[in-house]
Amino acid sequence: MADTVGEPILEVSGLVKHYPLTRGVLLRKQVGAVRAVDGVDFTLARGETLGIVGESGCGKSTLARLVVNLERPTAGTITYRGEDLTRLSARALKAVRRNIQMVFQDPYTSLNPRMTVGDIVGEPYEIHPEAAPKGDRRRRVRELLDVVGLNPEHINRYPHQFSGGQRQRIGIARGLALRPEIIVADEPVSALDVSVQAQVVNLMERLQGEFGLSYVVIAHDLSIVRHISDRVAVMYLGRIVETGRDTEIYDHATHPYTQALLSAVPVPDPGAREHRKRIILSGDVPSPTAVPSGCRFRPRCWKARERCETKMPPLAVPAGFRSAAGPAAHDSACHFAEEKHDEHVYGPK
């Protein structure tokens, strides 16, 4: 978690990604769409960590791929330092990609098993040769391995000769090679043993200070996100339903979906567990091909009323909190966010 943050450097506005569903063999006809990301807005400041959480299938990984331009959006804008990345040519986009890199979820599949560690970490220099003189690249790769806690003498080893945690460190070293300003980490520790997760998270925090990085961390583990994030955005069915500072979300959640997620986080203190209210959601997550009308969380929400069926709630500070200072005054997409809820029931940070 960053001690200080600066000016906004990335702004996502109205971001949409729909995958068409077609029918027919000779005459393909679109009969629907998978609404993976369906109108997402957020900003990222220099030196800040934004955590994006939600259940599997809510659109988090698609959002990550859109931010780093691995996929083109259906609509919306991604503005980096005043420049809309969605409108750039391939050549201009390649130059910008130096500044926005990605760390992938699975270190077992994101590293080429036929390449040595030196070749994997040094590959960005082949794509962006202007980033480092050819005769200096080997030295830089060794430095990067040392920075992420690996032995530089292992530069000629292959991925299968490393543990899962070490492989993820290799992926982080590759992401740092071009000295980016932003790193998007898609579930960076979910494939690792619990004992290794803390090591990788601590490494990411240290590197943030050393390199002045801004992070977008995608995760479903709310404990990990709370440890590393300055701000948190909660996604449900392709949209952000609540966002705010980490303490605002974890100690004063106002959206029913966020409250349900937090109630499921394990608490090591038996005394705290006894006082925590467990929220069990009914039903399954609706399909992104058939999104419910009005509020998307309505079919599973215990607060749902007639208004929720017809009107989608905006992501905004609830009217009753707008004039009040304090942690409750943060954006929440719920018509009834102002209703009383239990606070401080999710355990200590």
Side-chain angles (χ1 to χ4, degrees):
M1 186 182 298
D3 295 329
T4 59
V5 296
E7 75 284 355
I9 57 173
L10 184 73
E11 182 177 358
V12 171
S13 179
L15 197 62
V16 173
K17 181 62 180 179
H18 291 176
Y19 297 96
L21 295 176
T22 59
R23 181 182 298 166
V25 178
L26 296 178
L27 298 175
R28 306 292 291 177
K29 180 180 179 182
Q30 182 172 341
V31 294
V34 177
R35 298 163 71 172
V37 175
D38 205 23
V40 167
D41 305 275
F42 69 81
T43 60
L44 180 70
R46 181 180 57 82
E48 181 185 39
T49 298
L50 172 66
I52 300 179
V53 301
E55 294 172 286
S56 297
C58 71
K60 304 187 303 296
S61 293
T62 302
L63 177 60
R65 292 194 297 270
L66 291 171
V67 170
V68 297
N69 279 276
L70 290 179
E71 294 193 35
R72 287 287 192 172
T74 305
T77 60
I78 304 169
T79 306
Y80 170 69
R81 291 201 173 277
E83 193 168 31
D84 184 3
L85 305 187
T86 64
R87 298 179 179 274
L88 296 183
S89 64
R91 176 177 294 182
L93 188 58
K94 179 182 177 182
V96 174
R97 277 199 175 119
R98 285 189 53 179
N99 298 313
I100 306 176
Q101 293 290 301
M102 188 166 183
V103 174
F104 295 91
Q105 175 178 359
D106 190 353
Y108 296 92
T109 59
S110 62
L111 304 179
N112 190 330
R114 299 184 179 182
M115 295 174 66
T116 66
V117 169
D119 291 336
I120 290 171
V121 177
E123 188 175 22
Y125 298 134
E126 300 295 330
I127 301 171
H128 298 272
E130 73 283 359
K134 195 165 186 178
D136 194 40
R137 294 174 189 173
R138 200 73 170 173
R139 179 188 64 82
R140 293 199 181 190
V141 169
R142 288 177 176 272
E143 288 180 350
L144 286 168
L145 293 177
D146 183 57
V147 163
V148 299
L150 295 175
N151 189 341
E153 300 303 317
H154 295 165
I155 191 171
N156 292 318
R157 292 189 176 184
Y158 290 86
H160 73 271
Q161 296 175 285
F162 295 88
S163 67
Q166 290 174 324
R167 294 183 200 184
Q168 195 60 293
R169 290 172 186 263
I170 295 169
I172 293 172
R174 177 176 59 185
L176 290 173
L178 298 175
R179 296 298 179 101
E181 193 167 21
I182 299 171
I183 285 185
V184 179
D186 184 13
E187 301 275 9
V189 297
S190 64
L192 306 178
D193 294 338
V194 174
S195 60
V196 181
Q197 290 182 358
Q199 298 175 19
V200 174
V201 169
N202 290 336
L203 170 65
M204 291 177 64
E205 288 189 308
R206 175 173 64 80
L207 294 174
Q208 183 174 41
E210 291 182 11
F211 289 84
L213 298 168
S214 300
Y215 286 133
V216 177
V217 178
I218 310 292
H220 65 268
D221 188 330
L222 279 80
S223 300
I224 295 293
V225 170
R226 183 170 201 182
H227 180 79
I228 197 173
S229 298
D230 299 294
R231 285 191 302 118
V232 178
V234 182
M235 281 192 73
Y236 186 79
L237 269 186
R239 294 183 67 90
I240 292 177
V241 296
E242 187 167 9
T243 182
R245 303 287 299 178
D246 61 327
T247 52
E248 293 170 349
I249 299 299
Y250 284 86
D251 295 337
H252 304 276
T254 59
H255 196 283
Y257 178 62
T258 309
Q259 294 172 11
L261 288 180
L262 291 171
S263 76
V265 176
V267 176
D269 182 0
R273 281 200 300 268
E274 292 179 1
H275 295 90
R276 185 171 71 165
K277 180 182 178 182
R278 181 73 169 92
I279 301 173
I280 307 296
L281 295 178
S282 61
D284 298 322
V285 181
S287 169
T289 63
V291 176
S293 62
C295 176
R296 301 183 176 206
F297 188 59
R298 169 179 54 82
R300 307 174 72 192
C301 183
W302 64 94
K303 291 184 179 181
R305 300 172 195 171
E306 184 177 352
R307 182 183 182 187
C308 304
E309 296 183 23
T310 58
K311 186 176 180 181
M312 179 184 295
L315 181 64
V317 177
F321 297 148
R322 287 173 190 164
S323 60
H330 62 274
D331 291 346
S332 180
C334 177
H335 292 305
F336 305 103
E338 299 172 53
E339 288 189 352
K340 185 181 184 299
H341 62 281
D342 294 328
E343 294 184 348
H344 305 295
V345 296
Y346 307 121
K349 185 171 181 179

